[in-house]
Amino acid sequence: MRPLGSVHDIPVGEGRAYAVDGEMVAVFRLRDGSLRATSAVCPHKGGPLADGQIDLRQVVCPLHLNAWDLTTGCSLSGQPEVTVYPVRLDGDQILLGE
Amino acid sequence: MKQRLVVVGNGMAGARTVEEILARGGDFAITMFGDEPYGNYNRIMLSNLLAGVEDEAGIFLNDLSWYADNGITLHAGTRIERIDRFAKTVYTADGTPTPYDKLIIATGSSAWVPPIKGIRLPGRGYHQGVFVFRTLDDTRAMIRYAREHERAVVIGGGLLGLEAARGLQNHLDHVTLLHAASHLMNAQLNERAGKTLQRIVEQKLGIEVVVDATTTEILGRHAVTGVRLSDGRVIACDVVVVAAGIRPNSQVAADSGLVVERGIVVDDQMRVQDEDDIYAVGECAQHRGQVYGLVAPLWEQAKVLADHLTGADPDAAYHGSRVATKLKVAGVDVASMGLQLPEREDDELLEFAEPGKGVYSNVVIRDGRLVGATLVGDTRKAAFLMQAFDLGLPLPEERAELLFDLGGPPAEVSPAEMADDAQVCNCNGVSKGTICATVTAGCKTVGGVMDKTRAGKGCGTCRPLVQRIVGWATGGEVEEDPAASWYVPGVPMPKPELMAAIRRHELKSVSAVFATLVPGGTEDAKSKMGLASLLKMMWGDEYIDERDARFINDRVHANIQRDGTFSVVPQMKGGVTTPAQLRRIAEVAEKHDVPMVKLTGGQRIDLLGVPKEKLPQIWADLDMPSGYAYAKSFRTVKTCVGSDFCRFGVGDSTALGIALEERYQGIEGPGKMKLAVTGCPRNCAEAYVKDIGVVAIDGAKWEIYVGGAAGAHVRKGDLLATVSSAAEVVQLTGRFLQYYRENGNWLERTYAFVPRVGIDKIRAIVVDDAQAIAADLDAAMDAAIAAYRDPWRERTDPVTPGQFRTSLPLTVLPRVPVRA
Ligand code: SRM
Ligand SMILES: Cc1cc2nc3c(=O)[nH]c(=O)nc-3n(C[C@H](O)[C@H](O)[C@H](O)COP(=O)(O)OP(=O)(O)OC[C@H]3O[C@@H](n4cnc5c(N)ncnc54)[C@H](O)[C@@H]3O)c2cc1C
Ligand code: SF4
Ligand code: FES
């Protein structure tokens, strides 16, 4: 489990990228207050997912607008799936991993 | 007990036959076996899947629930190895028996792979990097591999090879197509037509084509590195796709003692020769010596077989298909039917070739009837020709009318004149009658009819015709697809209704719109940007700007690039700059190692490849306002030198252009707004093809054109007004833009908006104030202008935490090549 810092570093409804043990992880702060984490690199052509737009279900990559389910990592537009990571809040600290 | 019907092969013919049987109320206990581990999908669409224009979910015709819902037992991923005709039982590989009363064989075809040296590795199947193109699994594997490689060779220049080549271009940089015959698609096209197609494929698509190319060897030890041709030439490549033809899957039938020649031999009821209870349909069947390789014939076969098996029409008989095809091959329109060229002394031939334009057409006439036609590059006449060919219609005395519009009958067949059984959708075999019946049954939207009949869901070329028929069948009362009229996909309302609701509930933020206007309050990422734009337009200063509603470009005021960096385009009004400004741009580019500095098509300078975190510093160093090259907003005003310097200039286009840009900079809208002002009708600033184009004409007047385009669409703008002063130009520009902002659909550029609303109506409102709203439009525009603030000012105090923080801390992205 890795602390990534304060949840206030991520604006509501947006994502930010973190380097964690050599992996790049995008953490999203949903409008219902919950968090999701995926690989920061888009499986399509490497786009920055943390720059994507989200709702409670999906993230849309800014480069070619493919979409992924934030909880399962499954693509909603026929792409390979994206890795998802467990993430949760401890107070206002973001904790990544089991 | 119900009769047991077993179907071997769960592809397009097998599943379609079962659908036809169900549609006739056929009462069988149905069991289907399919070698592929899926429900039934549209094999034709594999081309689109490869080309990246369709996703996997979109190609399924019958998903697994369809089988369950219809009480069909499906064994997907299970191959039948043997048929015992005496015991009336089929066996899977592991020996599991399934008895039948009636058996349908619909095993289709497989790719035929010529015996080329090195194409297979003993015991390992195809050599690494070699693929065929027949199934979903083939396509997936090909995409996966091609993405990681650079050069592909496609063997075979028929329909399939061309589609493969076109699709592969989506995944790698270089595609060469090898064809053994002397011209492409030689089975369907004559030499001139084939050569014309080759030209288009080479010049427009950039696929390299080699004809008369016999491949003799696949090179490479561990994986493919190239292919060798019979003349010794070697073509380097790391992917090989074999599309050299197909062979019917008739081995199981032959091994089981059925009569097989080229395919499984059937009679006019699709019954296998000498069998009472075994039938074959689709590509595996041979009827009157013919084996077919396109879907249209198998739709006819499926109907006959269903009529026969269910007893719906005891006289049903299949007489063979006259194969007339209208296809989009690798993006090129091609139609062909019957003879390629005259065969008898007194056959008439009409031929038209314009190779430079990529157009070829011919018709062959015998005894006053159409017996052949070929169209490449322009298939507008195909619908009529196919009907004439199918039904033997009388032909016009003036034969040239078959190929050209001589001011005579319109090229488009009118739905009223079409026979009921005329085929409209050649991919899915849907007739005019079926479409009309669907409409009569109560489905009155074009999308609904397409979903129900699948018309227009193949290659898509018939969609306009489907639309016209639905329009005709409803007597002009087509109901709009509700979703098609929504402003954004996630809020079920067209724009006027949505605006009224927003006003009524005073919804000032995107989240408030979702919460109030969407059942269940569900937000939708793909709707946020459109809503943000609309709310900003409606509320101006009162708009509650939730930054997550913005697309990344609008969050950081720059255009995202393929590698996650951004481009910076400072404002340069009217394309006019100064030595000092140029010096500053040069210094900034140098100081920040900007990878590319480029003059844009919008007459300004683009600094490309800037990392997100550097944006604020670069803006500070430039100290110029944003050029808005990233937003759905007012972009640029291109100008020409005009009367101050040009010897032809009759108006000061530069000054007017600058004035326009100064006033309307940064105004958001449903789409981009690009303007130009040009000093005389020579039109050096390309004003006729801009969202708004202003042209100085003699007599100190200005013409204002709106709705022009020269992007993905090319359209000359419509003349809105001719006025006598620059001030009037400025005012009408603002009023038109405001009218567009309030009434344009999300992402609808003016080139679509103006023809949709109609220039006459727009002129009446904007110029003649027929609705007495001109003052309101002007006032709304004034307010928007007053609210303008250069977004690059956010450099000093970011609006959100980490607004400019990089989203990719480690570099793994493909890097954009840097040019010196
Ligand atoms: C930079 C520039 C090319 C250049 O080097 O010259 C450019 C670059 C892009 N254009 Fe363009 N267009 C550029 C002039 C044009 C022009 C010519 C013009 O503006 O006079 C056109 C034709 C006019 C028009 O707008 O129709 C043009 C028609 C398009 C289109 C087609 C729009 C259409 O509906 O027809 C798109 C795609 C879109 O908008 O969806 C597009 C989209 C793009 C995007 C934004 C693609 C994207 O989403 O990333 C490109 C951004 C590249 C980047 O990495 O920053 N660009 N683009 C030009 C910037 C002009 C400027 O100074 O603002
Ligand atoms: C990429 C591509 C593009 C095409 N484009 C077009 C086009 O634009 N227009 C057009 O008209 N046609 C096109 N075609 C051709 C069209 O797809 C075929 O004509 C059609 O699919 C034939 O249907 P079928 O049911 O006979 O065979 P298939 O669809 O191949 O179905 C046969 C099924 O039977 C299964 N099977 C085989 N043997 C056994 C066994 N022993 N046991 C169990 N299952 C078995 C196979 O796995 C397969 O799933 C295209 C084909 C491809 C591959
Ligand atoms: S034409 Fe425009 S969108 Fe296409 S590559 Fe060039 S800059 Fe990009
Ligand atoms: S890189 Fe993400 S959708 Fe293409």
Side-chain angles (χ1 to χ4, degrees):
Chain A
M1 198 149 55
R2 289 280 305 261
L4 296 185
S6 164
V7 71
H8 302 297
D9 292 344
I10 310 179
V12 180
E14 293 192 34
R16 292 288 181 259
Y18 296 84
V20 185
D21 300 333
E23 296 287 319
M24 290 182 290
V25 178
V27 180
F28 299 93
R29 184 174 175 197
L30 275 45
R31 275 203 164 261
D32 66 2
S34 64
L35 299 177
R36 301 283 185 280
T38 69
S39 157
V41 185
C42 175
H44 178 226
K45 290 193 173 169
L49 287 181
D51 281 343
Q53 286 193 279
I54 59 166
D55 53 33
L56 295 186
R57 172 167 182 231
Q58 60 181 331
V59 54
V60 183
C61 175
L63 290 196
H64 311 102
L65 308 186
N66 283 303
W68 283 266
D69 186 302
L70 281 167
T71 309
T72 64
C74 290
S75 169
L76 305 170
S77 55
Q79 295 294 321
E81 55 189 48
V82 70
T83 313
V84 290
Y85 302 90
V87 63
R88 63 189 173 83
L89 268 180
D90 179 23
D92 59 4
Q93 289 299 303
I94 304 168
L95 294 180
L96 186 82
E98 290 299 342
Chain B
M1 200 178 81
K2 282 188 191 180
Q3 284 221 332
R4 291 164 302 187
L5 173 66
V6 169
V7 182
V8 180
N10 181 32
M12 299 189 76
R16 183 61 164 249
T17 306
V18 170
E19 279 186 9
E20 296 282 359
I21 288 172
L22 294 174
R24 286 163 181 70
D27 196 19
F28 292 95
I30 303 177
T31 306
M32 298 187 76
F33 291 90
D35 205 0
E36 295 182 73
Y38 311 104
N40 172 40
Y41 60 86
N42 189 344
R43 199 172 301 286
I44 296 176
M45 291 296 227
L46 293 179
S47 303
N48 284 352
L49 186 63
L50 181 65
V53 297
E54 185 71 58
D55 56 36
E56 284 190 10
I59 74 170
F60 276 90
L61 296 172
N62 306 89
D63 56 20
L64 296 176
S65 65
W66 177 83
Y67 295 88
D69 293 347
N70 288 290
I72 299 165
T73 312
L74 172 67
H75 298 284
T78 307
R79 198 181 147 73
I80 290 299
E81 288 289 352
R82 194 163 66 82
I83 301 163
D84 186 331
R85 326 150 41 213
F86 305 108
K88 296 180 88 173
T89 304
V90 297
Y91 294 91
T92 59
D94 63 9
T96 312
T98 305
Y100 64 79
D101 297 308
K102 299 279 177 197
L103 176 66
I104 297 176
I105 306 176
T107 48
S109 313
S110 313
W112 177 67
V113 179
I116 298 171
K117 187 173 168 200
I119 206 161
R120 288 178 216 264
L121 294 189
R124 294 222 343 240
Y126 297 122
H127 196 11
Q128 181 164 336
V130 174
F131 298 90
V132 297
F133 190 20
R134 177 76 195 178
T135 65
L136 180 54
D137 287 345
D138 293 338
T139 314
R140 282 183 181 161
M142 203 188 314
I143 293 175
R144 216 178 301 125
Y145 197 82
R147 273 195 189 142
E148 285 161 12
H149 292 81
E150 277 152 26
R151 306 177 75 85
V153 157
V154 175
I155 300 178
L159 166 68
L160 209 56
L162 281 157
E163 291 284 2
R166 172 65 163 159
L168 283 167
Q169 281 191 307
N170 187 39
H171 304 288
L172 38 67
D173 286 337
H174 203 94
V175 181
T176 308
L177 181 67
L178 306 180
H179 189 46
S182 64
H183 65 269
L184 295 179
M185 285 186 76
N186 52 305
Q188 291 87 5
L189 304 180
N190 67 34
E191 170 136 16
R192 294 183 102 174
K195 293 280 180 207
T196 306
L197 179 61
Q198 179 174 346
R199 250 182 109 112
I200 312 179
V201 167
E202 286 176 330
Q203 296 182 351
K204 283 217 193 122
L205 306 182
I207 294 169
E208 209 172 301
V209 177
V210 186
V211 290
D212 294 316
T214 311
T215 312
T216 53
E217 190 177 353
I218 307 290
L219 306 172
R221 206 157 86 107
H222 303 293
V224 171
T225 58
V227 301
R228 194 195 309 280
L229 304 185
S230 56
D231 60 7
R233 250 185 306 173
V234 168
I235 298 173
C237 64
D238 37 32
V239 180
V240 170
V241 174
V242 186
I246 54 173
R247 289 292 177 269
N249 290 326
S250 49
Q251 199 57 46
V252 170
D255 292 347
S256 307
L258 303 185
V259 180
V260 171
E261 291 171 5
R262 286 201 296 146
I264 305 168
V265 180
V266 298
D267 65 14
D268 288 358
Q269 277 69 47
M270 307 311 294
R271 190 175 8 220
V272 176
Q273 185 175 325
D274 304 333
E275 301 297 325
D276 290 330
D277 300 309
I278 308 182
Y279 299 83
V281 273
E283 286 186 349
C284 64
Q286 173 183 330
H287 174 262
R288 298 193 189 175
Q290 279 287 335
V291 180
Y292 297 96
L294 289 169
V295 291
L298 60 90
W299 300 153
E300 296 176 37
Q301 296 176 355
K303 281 190 192 141
V304 170
L305 180 51
D307 278 340
H308 170 79
L309 277 179
T310 58
D313 176 2
D315 299 327
Y318 176 65
H319 302 293
S321 299
R322 309 189 68 180
V323 185
T325 51
K326 176 162 174 260
L327 300 165
K328 237 191 171 50
V329 186
V332 183
D333 288 313
V334 174
S336 84
M337 61 208 82
L339 303 183
Q340 297 177 1
L341 284 173
E343 285 177 349
R344 292 190 197 157
E345 194 71 5
D346 53 358
D347 284 351
E348 291 173 51
L349 171 71
L350 215 74
E351 192 172 33
F352 175 77
E354 210 179 350
K357 275 203 184 155
V359 174
Y360 173 89
S361 45
N362 80 14
V363 291
V364 185
I365 300 165
R366 178 176 297 166
D367 304 330
R369 299 273 179 252
L370 187 68
V371 290
T374 304
L375 305 172
V376 174
D378 176 356
T379 51
R380 278 176 297 178
K381 284 285 185 182
F384 173 76
L385 290 174
M386 284 168 80
Q387 267 192 283
F389 177 78
D390 269 349
L391 309 174
L393 298 182
L395 303 179
E397 247 344 280
E398 186 58 76
R399 297 287 201 241
E401 280 175 13
L402 287 168
L403 292 181
F404 309 101
D405 289 322
L406 303 175
E412 293 175 341
V413 268
S414 86
E417 285 165 16
M418 292 177 67
D420 242 17
D421 60 352
Q423 180 153 301
V424 175
C425 174
N426 293 314
C427 293
N428 292 328
V430 185
S431 65
K432 171 190 160 192
T434 309
I435 294 177
C436 294
T438 313
V439 171
T440 316
C443 182
K444 294 195 167 31
T445 69
V446 176
V449 170
M450 284 173 53
D451 283 341
K452 284 222 164 65
T453 62
R454 298 202 200 125
K457 295 221 143 186
C459 68
T461 44
C462 66
R463 254 172 238 169
L465 182 56
V466 174
Q467 216 154 10
R468 271 183 284 136
I469 295 175
V470 174
W472 172 79
T474 56
E477 313 257 293
V478 193
E479 286 164 16
E480 294 221 347
D481 292 338
S485 68
W486 299 349
Y487 173 73
V488 285
V491 187
M493 291 180 189
K495 183 164 175 176
E497 220 174 281
L498 176 61
M499 285 175 68
I502 288 172
R503 258 191 225 110
R504 189 166 60 246
H505 298 284
E506 299 203 7
L507 305 174
K508 297 187 179 167
S509 70
V510 170
S511 55
V513 172
F514 287 127
T516 316
L517 301 183
V518 181
T522 320
E523 11 162 46
D524 172 40
K526 294 183 177 168
S527 301
K528 289 185 172 184
M529 187 184 178
L531 290 173
S533 163
L534 183 67
L535 293 174
K536 173 89 192 288
M537 191 269 291
M538 292 177 65
W539 297 111
D541 272 351
E542 292 171 61
Y543 164 60
I544 301 167
D545 183 5
E546 293 165 340
R547 286 287 166 136
D548 64 310
R550 299 185 176 205
F551 184 59
I552 183 65
N553 286 5
D554 300 313
R555 290 183 196 165
V556 302
H557 320 298
N559 193 300
I560 193 163
Q561 320 262 288
R562 58 182 300 185
D563 65 349
T565 62
F566 291 84
S567 66
V568 174
V569 184
Q571 188 179 60
M572 206 170 261
K573 292 181 196 124
V576 178
T577 180
T578 61
Q581 205 174 46
L582 290 174
R583 209 172 288 124
R584 186 145 10 106
I585 293 174
E587 276 160 11
V588 170
E590 214 158 53
K591 172 174 166 194
H592 293 280
D593 287 326
V594 171
M596 176 148 93
V597 182
K598 183 180 178 305
L599 301 185
T600 71
Q603 296 190 345
R604 48 231 191 127
I605 295 177
D606 195 349
L607 306 177
L608 293 126
V610 176
K612 203 206 269 176
E613 62 275 21
K614 273 196 177 177
L615 290 171
Q617 190 55 50
I618 288 199
W619 296 337
D621 291 348
L622 281 171
D623 197 23
M624 293 168 69
S626 166
Y628 276 93
Y630 44 80
K632 297 299 171 208
S633 70
F634 184 96
R635 292 283 182 96
T636 55
V637 184
K638 299 216 295 189
T639 70
C640 70
V641 285
S643 53
D644 269 5
F645 290 89
C646 175
R647 64 199 159 109
F648 295 116
V650 293
D652 190 349
S653 49
T654 343
L656 178 51
I658 293 172
L660 286 169
E661 187 158 350
E662 193 141 308
R663 184 164 162 78
Y664 299 113
Q665 56 192 349
I667 296 288
E668 298 86 358
K672 299 184 273 196
M673 292 160 271
K674 298 180 177 180
L675 286 69
V677 185
T678 204
C680 84
R682 284 173 191 74
N683 191 29
C684 298
E686 300 167 341
Y688 293 130
V689 290
K690 290 280 148 189
D691 295 291
I692 299 182
V694 183
V695 182
I697 56 173
D698 205 24
K701 287 189 166 44
W702 301 94
E703 288 178 338
I704 307 173
Y705 290 85
V706 294
H713 296 260
V714 180
R715 178 176 197 272
K716 186 176 173 184
D718 298 318
L719 183 63
L720 176 72
T722 306
V723 299
S724 332
S725 70
E728 287 169 90
V729 173
V730 174
Q731 185 182 39
L732 287 182
T733 295
R735 205 180 286 160
F736 169 79
L737 287 179
Q738 184 63 25
Y739 184 68
Y740 165 63
R741 276 158 41 94
E742 291 181 12
N743 296 284
N745 291 320
W746 177 234
L747 301 184
E748 179 183 43
R749 290 283 297 267
T750 64
Y751 62 73
F753 171 75
V754 170
R756 171 168 70 81
V757 177
I759 185 66
D760 293 333
K761 177 170 174 197
I762 293 177
R763 187 181 303 114
I765 294 169
V766 171
V767 183
D768 306 327
D769 199 12
Q771 294 182 356
I773 55 167
D776 294 344
L777 292 172
D778 291 348
M781 186 47 102
D782 285 342
I785 290 164
Y788 167 78
R789 186 168 184 278
D790 173 23
W792 287 0
R793 294 268 151 209
E794 277 173 20
R795 62 191 177 238
T796 43
D797 47 338
V799 178
T800 57
Q803 184 180 3
F804 299 105
R805 204 171 95 194
T806 174
S807 280
L808 285 171
L810 315 167
T811 308
V812 292
L813 287 170
R815 292 199 153 219
V816 175
V818 173
R819 273 175 220 128

